[in-house]
């Protein structure tokens, strides 16, 4: 790889939301989405999430994280469930596809495309009862 330098990185979007088709989460205004990153501070995430879930208009909160942030995402969900005992949960584990393009340094070499699949998780927490037949 000494003849290449890293170019653009593209995250390929999913075709649909991990929670598409679940009854009761149609109102977009009642959902708060928390995107957990590797560098996110749990204290900051939980402070915002706890303020939002206590609002009357908020019925659902979704925590999402990928790669090294998966464990931090699960930690946030477990803290939230411990503080609010009446929450209902549905989890989805899937893979995100990342495409990296490497540009050649030398003439005559082709551009490389490297595809990586990284693990990701999304957890839906709801104040309302969810479909018990729904897996996860």
């Amino acid at each position: 790889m000494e003849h290449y330098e890293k170019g653009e990185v593209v995250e390929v979007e999913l075709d649909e939301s991990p929670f598409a088709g679940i009854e009761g989460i149609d109102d977009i205004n009642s959902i708060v989405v928390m995107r957990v990153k590797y560098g996110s501070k749990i204290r900051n995430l939980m402070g915002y999430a706890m303020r939002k879930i206590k609002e009357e208009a908020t019925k659902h909160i979704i925590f999402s994280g990928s790669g090294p942030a998966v464990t931090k995402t699960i930690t946030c969900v477990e803290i939230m469930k411990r503080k609010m005992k009446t929450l209902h949960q549905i989890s989805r584990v899937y893979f995100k596809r990342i495409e990296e393009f490497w540009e050649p340094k030398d003439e005559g070499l082709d551009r490389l495309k490297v595809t990586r699949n990284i693990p990701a998780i999304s957890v839906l927490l709801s104040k309302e009862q969810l479909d018990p037949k729904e897996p996860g």
Side-chain angles (χ1 to χ4, degrees):
M1 295 300 282
E2 64 269 0
H3 299 291
Y4 290 89
E5 60 186 18
K6 193 172 188 177
E8 65 178 317
V9 177
V10 178
E11 183 176 319
V12 179
E13 294 294 325
L14 295 174
D15 294 337
E16 60 182 30
S17 166
F19 301 109
I22 295 178
E23 292 181 25
I25 62 168
D26 303 329
D27 184 17
I28 193 94
N29 296 326
S30 69
I31 301 173
V32 174
V33 178
M34 302 290 296
R35 288 190 174 84
V36 180
K37 306 284 185 191
Y38 179 69
S40 300
K41 301 279 186 240
I42 292 178
R43 175 181 50 240
N44 296 340
L45 291 167
M46 294 310 301
Y48 181 78
M50 290 304 292
R51 276 194 311 275
K52 293 305 270 185
I53 199 74
K54 288 179 181 175
E55 292 177 2
E56 191 66 33
T58 304
K59 295 185 179 10
H60 313 285
I61 189 163
I62 297 174
F63 283 91
S64 296
S66 61
V70 168
T71 54
K72 193 172 283 193
T73 304
I74 295 169
T75 301
C76 289
V77 169
E78 293 301 323
I79 292 170
M80 187 74 116
K81 286 179 7 186
R82 186 177 304 145
K83 289 186 178 186
M84 295 190 68
K85 305 251 187 246
T86 59
L87 293 176
H88 303 276
Q89 173 181 344
I90 295 180
S91 303
R92 296 283 189 264
V93 178
Y94 54 96
F95 287 95
K96 275 188 172 178
R97 192 169 67 194
I98 306 291
E99 294 178 348
E100 296 176 344
F101 294 94
W102 293 77
E103 305 297 334
K105 291 181 182 177
D106 302 331
E107 289 290 323
L109 297 175
D110 294 331
R111 183 180 191 207
L112 296 178
K113 175 181 157 186
V114 178
T115 303
R116 295 185 299 135
N117 290 321
I118 59 172
I121 189 168
S122 289
V123 181
L124 169 68
L125 296 175
S126 177
K127 292 182 192 176
E128 301 172 344
Q129 178 73 34
L130 297 169
D131 185 8
K133 296 176 185 163
E134 191 68 40

